[in-house]
Amino acid sequence: MRRIVQIYIRRLRFEEARQKLLQEIEHHFFAGEREVEIIHGIGDYILRKMAEEELSKLDYVKLAEGHSANPGALSVTLLTPDPGLLESYRGKV
């Protein structure tokens, strides 16, 4: 069974969480990951709202429909290209 990659932004300050989220999403995209779970915690859902807003700006991220079984997490799918095309992107970076 394949493990789902997690990005843990719980308990971080807003800007620190935003930067970490965007850096790690990009990292996992180029690593070829497809499923990512963002652990944001519960409370006022400030980090969840930020994550949804930032990720909705990225054309290679699809937010999960509905709610996760864990109210403190957000599931997303990374729309990674085929491995050959992804390798060509890596060569240009």
Side-chain angles (χ1 to χ4, degrees):
M1 187 168 157
R2 187 175 170 160
R3 71 175 179 85
I4 295 178
V5 173
Q6 293 183 333
I7 299 174
Y8 193 87
I9 59 172
R10 183 173 177 249
R11 296 185 178 217
L12 296 179
R13 293 188 181 273
F14 186 90
E15 187 57 31
E16 183 181 11
R18 190 180 77 73
Q19 289 177 7
K20 180 177 182 181
L21 172 67
L22 294 175
Q23 288 172 351
E24 289 195 23
I25 281 291
E26 184 177 299
H27 168 79
H28 292 305
F29 173 77
F30 283 109
E33 297 293 342
R34 303 257 318 139
E35 301 295 322
V36 177
E37 184 175 50
I38 295 122
I39 309 299
H40 53 73
I42 54 175
D44 293 333
Y45 284 107
I46 292 169
L47 294 180
R48 181 187 181 98
K49 291 173 189 171
M50 175 276 296
E52 288 174 337
E53 184 177 312
E54 292 296 324
L55 295 175
S56 69
K57 296 174 186 175
L58 303 174
D59 61 354
Y60 60 90
V61 177
K62 180 181 177 196
L63 300 173
E65 301 283 326
H67 294 285
S68 170
N70 178 353
L74 175 65
S75 296
V76 299
T77 301
L78 301 181
L79 306 173
T80 55
D82 69 71
L85 183 58
L86 192 58
E87 197 57 42
S88 72
Y89 290 160
R90 286 188 188 115
K92 293 178 183 179
V93 175

